[in-house]
Amino acid sequence: MADNVKNHFKLWRTWYGIVSDILSQSGFDWNSTKYMITVENEIAWNEYVKVVNHLLTLFNCSYYLCFY
């Protein structure tokens, strides 16, 4: 497989993992008309960001390196 195809696949897999992780959380949904994630309220988003930031600090790494 060509390097550019491998890189595209790796990037797609990373973004799929991020979207999948967010959608597995309570308060998030997929808008199939606009093809985007929607959040029910700001509290759900703030809780998600708080957890992710805590894990990034705990493991001292970027989101991509820690989770994907």
Side-chain angles (χ1 to χ4, degrees):
M1 202 181 304
D3 285 342
N4 63 336
V5 174
K6 287 180 185 179
N7 290 336
H8 283 279
F9 181 74
K10 184 177 177 182
L11 181 63
W12 180 85
R13 186 174 48 188
T14 300
W15 282 109
Y16 178 83
I18 293 169
V19 170
S20 178
D21 179 55
I22 291 172
L23 290 175
S24 72
Q25 307 299 315
S26 176
F28 294 90
D29 199 15
W30 181 255
N31 182 326
S32 58
T33 304
K34 295 182 178 181
Y35 302 104
M36 59 185 264
I37 296 172
T38 58
V39 62
E40 292 176 6
N41 57 51
E42 193 173 337
I43 295 170
W45 176 252
N46 289 338
E47 285 298 313
Y48 178 77
V49 170
K50 187 186 328 180
V51 169
V52 169
N53 283 337
H54 173 71
L55 291 173
L56 295 178
T57 302
L58 185 65
F59 293 106
N60 192 26
C61 61
S62 76
Y63 189 88
Y64 302 108
L65 293 177
C66 282
F67 299 107
Y68 302 102

